[in-house]
Amino acid sequence: VIETAESAINGRLEVWYAYGRKMLNAEAVNYSFGDLDRVFRSAFSQLKVERRSICDILLLGLGAGNVPKILGEHDRAYHITGVEIDPEILRLGRNHFGLDDYDNVRVVEADAIAYVQTEGQRFDLVIVDLFVDAVVPLDATRAEFIWRLERLLRPDGLLMYNRLMHSPALRQQSEAFTRKMQEWLPGTGFIKAHHNRMLYYEKKS
């Protein structure tokens, strides 16, 4: 453990050095550069993100910058708006993970639920990775939030929503949310991404 921090939002946070690299962990889950890295690499590969016509990306739950790091390995000119509510996570991201080194990332310190209500831009890809430790905020599971995300998508845009599946309780919650999202956005599908479930929705042109 390289650094331990106390967050008013996420509780105890730890920066680890393990398997040859740093990672950011909360009490029960990895927030960046551990399991989360494998989740998004798997999801981006299966959904062929690199081959899609994607330029503008909205990332709700920036964390320490794991998703921009993966996307930066693509030979594409992405523009990423990363929304993160926790200033302590942003501090750790800047101090340990080079969060300020990405020229194509606009970091917004804000509540993602409130942010999407006022965002006027449209995006080719919207990614939801919102957790307080292992818990998805309740407001991020409501129909109004999902419908707002759909309105932020451009035609042919892609919505990705990360859910945990590594305990019976989390699996039950994720399966129940999957059914709701499929009702709210017909055509919603899902894939297994490492140990997680990645829901996805493609907006028709």
Side-chain angles (χ1 to χ4, degrees):
V1 177
I2 296 174
E3 183 175 350
T4 299
E6 291 296 330
S7 161
I9 296 169
N10 285 285
R12 186 182 180 89
L13 298 169
E14 293 182 340
V15 178
W16 290 18
Y17 185 83
Y19 308 107
R21 65 177 176 178
K22 291 181 181 180
M23 59 185 69
L24 176 63
N25 292 325
E27 184 176 349
V29 296
N30 172 256
Y31 268 0
S32 294
F33 297 100
D35 275 347
L36 187 79
D37 187 76
R38 290 184 279 273
V39 166
F40 274 100
R41 287 183 186 279
S42 174
F44 288 154
S45 175
Q46 291 181 69
L47 295 173
K48 299 179 173 58
V49 165
E50 189 174 4
R51 301 181 189 176
R52 294 174 180 263
S53 297
I54 291 173
C55 179
D56 296 307
I57 298 171
L58 176 62
L59 171 57
L60 303 177
L62 172 62
N66 201 158
V67 168
K69 169 67 168 62
I70 298 170
L71 292 172
E73 297 169 8
H74 299 175
D75 186 21
R76 299 289 302 276
Y78 297 125
H79 302 286
I80 303 170
T81 299
V83 182
E84 175 58 55
I85 193 174
D86 192 336
E88 194 62 19
I89 286 181
L90 292 176
R91 183 186 70 80
L92 294 171
R94 291 180 171 114
N95 288 352
H96 293 280
F97 301 96
L99 185 56
D100 285 337
D101 295 342
Y102 301 104
D103 294 334
N104 64 329
V105 178
R106 181 170 71 97
V107 177
V108 178
E109 184 182 326
D111 181 337
I113 311 299
Y115 181 84
V116 300
Q117 299 305 316
T118 58
E119 176 58 77
Q121 185 179 346
R122 296 295 183 264
F123 298 90
D124 306 301
L125 172 62
V126 175
I127 300 171
V128 182
D129 187 38
L130 294 176
F131 294 95
V132 178
D133 205 351
V135 178
V136 179
L138 184 61
D139 285 343
T141 67
R142 301 187 190 281
E144 293 78 9
F145 178 69
I146 300 301
W147 290 333
R148 179 59 185 163
L149 298 181
E150 191 275 340
R151 290 195 289 273
L152 290 178
L153 285 175
R154 290 180 178 140
D156 298 318
L158 175 67
L159 168 63
M160 299 173 63
Y161 197 122
N162 186 27
R163 297 289 309 209
L164 300 178
M165 298 285 282
H166 61 258
S167 75
L170 290 170
R171 178 179 294 274
Q172 185 177 28
Q173 293 167 18
S174 295
E175 289 177 345
F177 178 74
T178 298
R179 292 190 291 271
K180 289 180 181 178
M181 187 163 160
Q182 288 175 328
E183 177 184 342
W184 299 331
L185 291 182
T188 295
F190 61 89
I191 55 175
K192 181 180 180 182
H194 192 49
H195 298 310
N196 289 14
R197 171 174 290 187
M198 188 68 67
L199 286 81
Y200 64 93
Y201 169 79
E202 299 173 272
K203 185 171 183 175
K204 304 302 181 186
S205 57

